[in-house]
Amino acid sequence: MESTSELPDDCSLVLDEEEKESLALKNFKEAIAEIEGHFTQKAKLRSRIHATIQNRPEESHFSKLDSSIKKNTAFVRKLKNFTEAQKESILKDINTLNLTKYISEVANAIVEAKLKMTDIASILQVCVVLHEKYVDFAPQILEAWQKVLSLKKDEKISNPSKMRVDVRFYADLISCGVLTPKEGLPLLGSFLTNLIHGDKEEHNSATIILAFCKFCGEDYAGLVSQKLLNDAERFKIAIPTSNWLPADKRQNVRNLLREYYTSLCKHLTQDHKELQNFERQNRRILQTKGELSNERKEKQEILNQSFTKLLNMTQQFADILAEELPELRQDLSPRDEECSVLELCENMSDQARETLNELLWENEEGRQFYENLPNLSVYLPNLIPKVTAETLPPPDPVEQMIDIEKEAKEIEEGEQVKDEGDEDIKPAELEDEKEDADVPVSLQSNKVLLDSFLTTLTACVNREMIDSAAIEFSTNLNTKHNRKKLVRALFTVQRTRLDLLPFYSRLVATLHPYIPEVATDLCNFLRQDFKYHVRKKDQINIETKVKIVRFIGELTKFGMYPRADALQCFKQLLLNFAHHYIEMTCHLLETCGRFLLHQPDSHQRTKVYLDQMMRKKSMLASDSRYLTMIENAYYQVVPVDSSARSSHIKIRPPLHQYIRQLLFVELGNKGSTNKILKQLRKLNWKDPEVASYAVRCLTSAWKVKFPNIRTLAGVVAELTLYQEFVGHRIVDAVLEDIRWSLEFPISKFNQRRVSMAKYLAELYNYRMVESSVVFKVLYTCITFAVSFDYNIESDLDQPDNLMRLRLVLTILDTCGVFFSSGLSKKRLDYYLVYLQYYYLFKRSLPIWTDDNPFPVAIDFGIKDMLLTLRPKLKAYKTLQEAADAVENLEKELMNKLSQAMPELQMDVVLADDTLACIEEEDMEEGEEMREVDDDSINDEQSLSRSMSQMTTRGETTQPDEDTHNDDRCVVTAPRKALCPEDDDFMAALDRMVAENIHDAYTRGKEVSKPPAVDIAIPWQVKASLKRPDGSDKNFLGDSIGGELGGALAVAEASSACAALASSPPSAVHDNPTVNFFLMTRKGNKPQFKNLAVPSDSELAQNLRNREEAEKAEKERVKKLTLDFNERQEEEEFQDLYGGALIKILKAGSNGTRGT
């Protein structure tokens, strides 16, 4: 039974091996057939070219083909953008075009084309056809290739990816017969030789040579892969070879490639050794410091990537060249994991040692303070050290990690591990001083010296003084009694004199080698007092507790207080992490946390404790003061990498820093606006770089304090009066930023989006933007990429994203109060209907539940906005009401539009659940195309919208059609519909303009009229005097002449003077006098007497000259006024007609889309 059961298994194994063998043989034969087919195809192609070029077409044949410049130029352009799909069309064009005069351009276009490896076969067919037809093609394309492949020694290749394709293409041109070996091989050999000899160190061009070996190695070097050689040896089948090139030339190419492969192997071995050394050094640093810097991590990643890339290329070269890979030895030194800190420091370079010192100490002065202590044996040669350095055996790493994990679990669970005698802990008790009577007489003088020493000890606040005190105590006061008093004085240092603790600790460390009792007793007192305060858990004496932990930290850095005991103190504080213990923990870390973290024996434990502290901090419900203290202490121990922080700091030119200082720091200060404007005007605005940066800063409203955005807009408005292009560029940038924020709704840019919306509204308040632009932005906020279908969710307007409503509220709260009359009032009324529909739709989404209510800030914002802008407006309560209002509004607008422009015959389909196009809110104005802009209408009624009291309107934005990207259909201009309403409107407009001009002129005349030098004619005389011709008009004018002999002469009217001046000489000769009236007084009544004055007298001449001057001045003012009004009316008419025409075109395009 056993033999029968084993037989099928053996048979199956044999069958599997036979199947694998047959499959391998089949694959090998297919590869051999492919190689033979490749050689045969190349040989046939060479034979065909050799036969065809003997029978090239004559010149008469080319004269029958198309020689037009247009088609030949298009053919050259097509070759420059050659792809495999264009092969058939190009071959067809070759047969129909006469390219005799364009053969050089054709050759250059083929060489310059950016080809892919898959395009080589197709472009070769094109080159073969051209070579067979045109005798000049081969010399021309060879000349073009010489420009590309002529590589100088040590010259770097700028585009290796294109060169990789070009080398294969050129080699195939030679092997196919387009270029003869005599012509083409010298250039190819020179290129490969220079490339290989110049790249034996860095191997940046390895991909180019590798591509040549893959695709052309069989033809030029007889290369066969290692896999094919093994299969040929196994199946006893010969591999075909190409006899196209002589054997000696193929051997030369093979030797050149093997030489390059040898250098590549050396490079790989060196990189592998460097990578291993770097990894070994990193392991040492990890063992000693516990972490690697970001620079070392990045360098290791770069080394790994470069080594992997180099190894991959070497493996491919080894397979193609049938060579063996170099042996990469792995360094498995056991000392790497067990090397001590001393060995590491001995093997470290000076730079690495400095790096380690920087981690332990904040600066070199601190290291000198804690490490370089005075040697008392110099001053006391007979003094023998009592303390010998004991080296403790290093703990077992496995046991140490187990203990650390247990302690971390204890800290996390908050378990108290009681030591023996914890319940009997009392504060440190010091022996009372003995009375002077109990002290021997021989020690009385010594006591005075000690008291003086202890008194001056509090004044030792530098290294020299505390070192002198240590020398003085060891030489003059070193007795048992004095040592106890010294310990007592050190321990009872004032709790507010924390600055003395480092110096007292240095004193103890200096005395420790010869007087160890001081350090031992002081550490015992501190340890006992620390345990007492931790055990007591009271909330008093915080200064004393801080003094104890800081004293412990300073002694730890001097090595007087064991690091294990310091970590135990850290652990005890974490177990009671609340109130005063938080402050004690932070002070302990600030004092010695950095030192403990970077010591080999305490690194792991300190790191675990720090992680536990931050975990407990995240669960604290303490006030912000404790949280800030914890973060400061943690980042003082584990500082943020300065290199990473400095890499993000931009170094700006001084001028850029000054511009940022003006706009982002000083803007908004009292009285700084005029100064900032003056300084900005002084910039060199003709310099494109300066102007571009200034405009960018003026656009960055999110970097300015929110209340100062209004001031920034005022600065821009004033600056535009001097530099007009600034306003255009800033407004364009603001609109682009708002559009970008809608296309990319990233939450971290919300503050920026609100600031830019506020900025746009303030620019409108300063007359930098038209109201149409503001309404376009408002409509974009509630329509762009918005889905009003509950089943379709928009990626750009998520259901829980209400930022668009905030933007709308920001804009309307800022400038909505100015949309109170004229066309802007109607626009706002229409917009509020659509806004309420959008708001109610958002509010009705199922995402808002009792657990997740709709934000009340949006509700209140909408209500307050409506109450402010339209107090009498009744807000819609349901979504259906808003939808009905939108539908009714659109029907009303469509009816008015169809009545105003019946020729358009628009057929717009109104959807019940979607908002209509934005342009429909403007269609009601189709019958008022020539109405002036709403902003210019309300100039006299607005509440001084300009904050800077500007007197000119800065129209800096383009009409809606410039920024509207949705209307892409081309619509022909409609014929104007003649309506009687247009004539009535224009007549009313003309009357209104004339009245405004007359009123303005009258007001100006009344204000600017100089004091009257004439006196009005009394109405009695004026009524009694008639013209001689019998008309009803008065013969005298409205003025009285100047003084004459103390009386007033009534002069003739200006019309009479003008008539006299313009009358012919005969008339003047017939009437050579001018009538004046002399007014005298008799009692209280004036008396008038006629006075005839000759016309050539001085009085008459002066009157005539004055009247003529006044008339000329009136004519000049009249002409200027009429010219100005004509220009203004023409500009307003062109603007309004152009805007109305665009609205009609848009309406027509919407109608076309609707149909």
Side-chain angles (χ1 to χ4, degrees), residues 1012-1019 1021-1023 1033-1041 1049-1056 1106-1107 1114:
V1013 296
D1014 296 334
I1015 299 177
I1017 299 175
W1019 63 272
V1021 179
K1022 199 172 185 180
K1033 295 183 178 180
N1034 295 334
F1035 181 72
L1036 292 179
D1038 295 336
S1039 301
I1040 303 177
V1050 180
E1052 193 175 23
S1054 59
S1055 57
R1106 191 184 72 174
E1107 292 293 342
K1114 289 180 182 179

Side-chain angles (χ1 to χ4, degrees), residues 501-555:
L501 300 182
F503 302 104
Y504 283 6
S505 300
R506 182 178 173 86
L507 173 65
V508 174
T510 305
L511 298 175
H512 180 257
Y514 306 98
I515 312 174
E517 296 88 347
V518 176
T520 304
D521 292 346
L522 181 60
C523 290
N524 290 335
F525 288 147
L526 291 172
R527 186 181 297 108
Q528 185 177 356
D529 213 30
F530 174 82
K531 290 183 179 180
Y532 167 75
H533 286 294
V534 171
R535 182 69 178 171
K536 191 175 181 182
K537 296 183 179 180
D538 56 2
Q539 300 300 317
I540 58 176
N541 301 326
I542 182 60
E543 293 179 345
T544 302
K545 297 175 184 178
V546 170
K547 181 198 73 173
I548 292 172
V549 295
R550 294 192 74 91
F551 214 155
I552 291 174
E554 294 294 342
L555 291 172

Side-chain angles (χ1 to χ4, degrees), residues 34 38 41-42 115-124 127 145 148-149 160-176 179 188 191-192 195 207-220 244:
E34 184 178 356
H38 174 74
Q41 182 184 1
K42 288 290 182 69
L115 304 173
K116 300 179 182 178
M117 286 295 183
T118 56
D119 300 331
I120 298 297
S122 302
I123 195 66
L124 278 175
C127 292
W145 279 117
V148 176
L149 298 179
S161 59
K162 186 178 186 304
M163 185 61 68
R164 185 168 62 248
V165 181
D166 289 346
V167 170
R168 181 197 170 185
F169 183 23
Y170 180 75
D172 286 344
L173 285 176
I174 301 175
S175 61
C176 289
L179 298 175
L188 181 61
F191 173 80
L192 291 176
L195 184 65
T207 56
I208 300 174
I209 302 173
L210 183 61
F212 176 80
C213 294
K214 277 184 178 181
F215 299 102
C216 307
E218 297 171 349
D219 296 327
Y220 289 87
W244 171 62

Side-chain angles (χ1 to χ4, degrees), residues 996-1013:
N996 288 339
I997 294 173
H998 178 70
D999 293 344
Y1001 177 75
T1002 303
R1003 288 194 301 268
K1005 182 178 179 181
E1006 291 176 354
V1007 172
S1008 60
K1009 186 170 65 174
V1013 296

Side-chain angles (χ1 to χ4, degrees), residues 1054-1055 1057-1059 1061-1062 1104-1118:
S1054 59
S1055 57
C1057 294
S1062 59
R1104 187 183 298 109
N1105 293 339
R1106 191 184 72 174
E1107 292 293 342
E1108 291 177 354
E1110 290 180 356
K1111 182 178 180 180
E1113 179 66 18
K1114 289 180 182 179
E1115 291 293 333
R1116 188 181 68 83
V1117 173
K1118 179 180 178 181

